[in-house]
Amino acid sequence: MQAVTGEEMGAVDRYVIETLGYPGAMLMENAGRAVTERLLHYYHTGERFLILIGSGNNGGDGFVIARTLKDAKREVHVCLIPPEEKFKGDAKLHKNLYENAGYTWTSYDPIYFQKADIVIDALLGTGISGDIREPYSNVIEAITNAEKTVVSVDLPSGIPGDETTVPEGSLQADRTITLQQPKLSYYTYPARDYYGETEVVPIGIPPTAFEHTVKTKRNVWSASETANHWQPWAASSHKGNHGKVGIIAGSETMPGAAAIAAGAAVKSGAGLTTIATPQSVIPMVAAHVPEATYFPRENEISSFYENKDGIAVGPGTGFDTDGPEILTELIENFEGPLVVDADGLHQLAEMLDRVRARKHPLIITPHPGEMAALIGSSPRDVNSRRFEVAASFAQEHGIYVVLKGPYTLVATPEGEIWINDSGNAGLAKGGSGDVLTGIVLAFVTKTNNIQPAISSAVYMHGYTADYLLERGVPMETMNAMEMIQALPNSFREIR
Ligand SMILES: NC(=O)C1=CN([C@@H]2O[C@H](COP(=O)(O)OP(=O)(O)OC[C@H]3O[C@@H](n4cnc5c(N)ncnc54)[C@H](OP(=O)(O)O)[C@@H]3O)[C@@H](O)[C@H]2O)[C@@H](O)CC1
Ligand SMILES: [K+]
């Protein structure tokens, strides 16, 4: 499913109306009806509705919802926020239809909250810009104080469709019924927290409208996409078919990172896993990953990567002395997919020219802090424009960027974005990134279709955390080794 900004949704709207000839009022009718259908599904025991209507098309949807709920004999009170002369276009048309059906409204008065169970927020939709102005800020405050169940139409009033700042005083919804496509803000924080339970309802806009108008592709990657791209093992296969992966990881102070990344690769289908780590660290790591073979990192690195199908570099390497040299060599000479994570990323900022010149897939897996270091800004800045940062960095350097966080983003060299929708905050701790690196490496090594492999790996990683959570493992205690042990369950359930 494609996520769009408010501006893009507006462009789609114009295209559908002006080029395809769909009447705007028909889309508004579809939108309002779709919302009413969901309301009747959730609230069927005589709840009383208060519908608050703003001056734009979000308010127009509100009139359709009001009319169709009243047609269904539900108790509904309708309040208009602006004076009635403000309504124009399709919203005005639907106001007229509402009135012609014999239904009435009043001007806004907070007294009506008393007789309502459910407040329908049809105040502001994707047309919002900047801080919330009066009278809407006042109305939103009153909704909050009324402590009723709030259902927002399209998006909670105040919240922008894109990833710009959430205005102060935005409405906290209990439920949001989003029209046609998820909006970008749903996948960003803090906006996501305002949406409450969210679902997307179709309003009859054909896919061609998106193909013609929305240039930036941002799609959600979920269980079905992962299952569709699954690479089945043939019964006749042998270990050489499943990828010879090399992992350059671990150091005297961080041996665990090597064990975790390699353990995850082994459990994710890598045929042969070899770990390059300092000689002194090998016995410790080997005790945890007996399936792997070992390579002392002090040796000539070319003999390590020459026969590999995929390499990951960075987890716990420390990389103070030999790091730049190893990375440079891999970027310039290794011809398979190269995954750079953690300590490998710290060196990468100095090598971006080489990165751009590389002909083979390069995948980086930064958290917001590492991403910030790469672009010379702050984690806060990265988090305020995750989509933009991931897409532009990937495109500019011709690489795949896995920008970690809630809704991890996978950006391709073409600037497309895939939004992961699995995972929970139990992943926000040390070791979790090393697990991801191992899964990504195992998956990308077996295919030329890099993005689906990365997205599937990211999905499996999050899914495994969700699986643990569902089975009673608290987020606080969830750890990397449990994740690795739970991977077989995820494999069984997803493919
Ligand atoms: N796309 C589609 O295909 C379809 C879209 N549909 C629906 O249309 C919605 C988008 O409608 P839209 O563009 O009319 O904008 P919308 O959000 O209702 O509000 C605009 C008004 O808000 C106001 N306003 C703005 N900023 C403000 C602020 N900071 N603080 C306070 N007020 C502010 C400003 O009012 P003014 O200041 O002029 O009084 C402006 O006129 C979309 O979310 C969906 O619900 C469906 O009907 C069917 C098909
Ligand atoms: K709204």
Side-chain angles (χ1 to χ4, degrees):
M1 191 175 273
Q2 195 171 352
V4 295
T5 64
E7 207 172 304
E8 287 166 347
M9 200 64 212
V12 168
D13 199 21
R14 280 193 298 282
Y15 181 85
V16 176
I17 294 169
E18 290 163 17
T19 308
L20 305 185
Y22 286 41
M26 180 182 91
L27 296 177
M28 193 173 277
E29 177 76 16
N30 293 351
R33 277 185 183 276
V35 173
T36 289
E37 194 202 308
R38 298 313 292 157
L39 293 174
L40 293 174
H41 169 81
Y42 290 115
Y43 311 110
H44 44 67
T45 53
E47 294 88 344
R48 298 160 303 171
F49 294 96
L50 171 63
I51 304 188
L52 302 177
I53 294 190
S55 67
N57 286 336
N58 198 251
D61 298 341
F63 280 115
V64 179
I65 297 165
R67 171 166 51 81
T68 48
L69 278 177
K70 288 197 173 203
D71 289 349
K73 305 274 183 265
R74 296 304 306 267
E75 195 177 328
V76 180
H77 186 83
V78 173
C79 284
L80 270 53
I81 311 306
E84 64 173 317
E85 316 78 72
K86 274 279 243 186
F87 291 92
K88 47 187 191 306
D90 297 330
K92 184 174 174 184
L93 184 146
H94 278 290
K95 175 174 171 292
N96 289 340
L97 295 186
Y98 174 81
E99 292 166 350
N100 295 349
Y103 301 137
T104 57
W105 50 266
T106 66
S107 292
Y108 168 72
D109 190 318
I111 197 152
Y112 294 107
F113 286 117
Q114 289 170 15
K115 288 194 200 143
D117 303 302
I118 315 280
V119 176
I120 305 298
D121 152 36
L123 296 171
L124 303 168
T126 52
I128 171 94
S129 66
D131 291 340
I132 305 169
R133 296 189 300 268
E134 291 302 345
Y136 295 98
S137 48
N138 237 322
V139 176
I140 292 175
E141 199 182 336
I143 300 175
T144 306
N145 293 338
E147 296 186 347
K148 304 288 178 179
T149 299
V150 176
V151 181
S152 289
V153 178
D154 206 13
L155 65 185
S157 287
I159 301 296
D162 58 19
E163 53 179 338
T164 51
T165 315
V166 169
E168 207 177 306
S170 292
L171 181 59
Q172 174 68 57
D174 294 292
R175 183 182 293 288
T176 297
I177 302 173
T178 291
L179 306 175
Q180 187 69 39
Q181 301 300 132
K183 309 302 178 290
L184 213 56
S185 55
Y186 178 80
Y187 302 103
T188 65
Y189 281 85
R192 169 67 188 91
D193 287 330
Y194 288 80
Y195 274 83
E197 286 285 315
T198 302
E199 67 196 293
V200 180
V201 293
I203 66 166
I205 297 178
T208 179
F210 292 91
E211 285 150 23
H212 278 89
T213 50
V214 183
K215 295 290 164 253
T216 316
K217 298 277 182 274
R218 308 177 207 87
N219 283 289
V220 180
W221 188 275
S222 57
S224 56
E225 285 81 9
T226 305
N228 286 342
H229 283 89
W230 205 257
Q231 310 268 321
W233 281 46
S236 60
S237 63
H238 61 86
K239 62 188 179 186
N241 294 141
H242 298 300
K244 293 195 268 306
V245 305
I247 299 179
I248 305 171
S251 54
E252 299 244 330
T253 54
M254 292 176 281
I260 295 169
V266 167
K267 271 268 196 278
S268 301
L272 277 168
T273 302
T274 308
I275 302 173
T277 199
Q279 175 93 55
S280 59
V281 178
I282 291 179
M284 189 266 156
V285 180
H288 290 278
V289 198
E291 299 88 346
T293 57
Y294 290 85
F295 179 94
R297 200 171 93 197
E298 294 83 354
N299 293 0
E300 176 52 48
I301 203 75
S302 61
S303 56
F304 175 69
Y305 68 74
E306 263 164 11
N307 63 345
K308 300 290 181 294
D309 300 314
I311 296 273
V313 55
T317 46
F319 262 176
D320 35 5
T321 47
D322 55 350
E325 203 182 312
I326 291 179
L327 254 184
T328 307
E329 178 144 1
L330 289 168
I331 291 169
E332 290 184 346
N333 300 320
F334 178 60
E335 297 188 350
L338 175 62
V339 183
V340 182
D341 182 33
D343 294 334
L345 293 171
H346 303 156
Q347 314 279 343
L348 209 65
E350 310 297 321
M351 305 176 186
L352 292 175
D353 286 345
R354 289 195 171 89
V355 166
R356 265 188 295 268
R358 182 176 156 82
K359 295 279 178 289
H360 308 282
L362 181 72
I363 300 127
I364 65 170
T365 55
H367 57 58
E370 290 161 342
M371 188 76 241
L374 281 170
I375 63 169
S377 83
S378 66
R380 193 193 166 92
D381 170 55
V382 168
N383 278 328
S384 72
R385 48 189 191 100
R386 287 170 56 82
F387 283 82
E388 186 201 326
V389 167
S392 60
F393 197 80
Q395 212 165 4
E396 187 183 341
H397 299 96
I399 64 175
Y400 296 86
V401 174
V402 181
L403 180 53
K404 294 187 281 201
Y407 300 110
T408 291
L409 304 178
V410 175
T412 71
E414 294 75 38
E416 282 186 18
I417 290 198
W418 293 86
I419 307 162
N420 182 60
D421 78 346
S422 65
N424 60 67
L427 290 173
K429 58 166 75 92
S432 151
D434 305 330
V435 176
L436 179 65
T437 299
I439 309 176
V440 169
L441 177 63
F443 282 22
V444 295
T445 297
K446 283 194 276 188
T447 177
N448 292 325
N449 213 353
I450 298 293
Q451 173 273 318
I454 301 173
S455 291
S456 296
V458 173
Y459 186 82
M460 288 296 276
H461 182 246
Y463 182 88
T464 305
D466 292 342
Y467 173 90
L468 289 172
L469 189 65
E470 235 171 67
R471 270 148 196 82
V473 178
M475 287 188 203
E476 292 85 345
T477 70
M478 209 177 274
N479 67 38
M481 283 307 185
E482 277 173 318
M483 290 277 295
I484 294 171
Q485 278 150 19
L487 277 170
N489 297 295
S490 305
F491 273 65
R492 251 197 313 275
E493 292 193 10
I494 289 292
R495 72 174 141 201

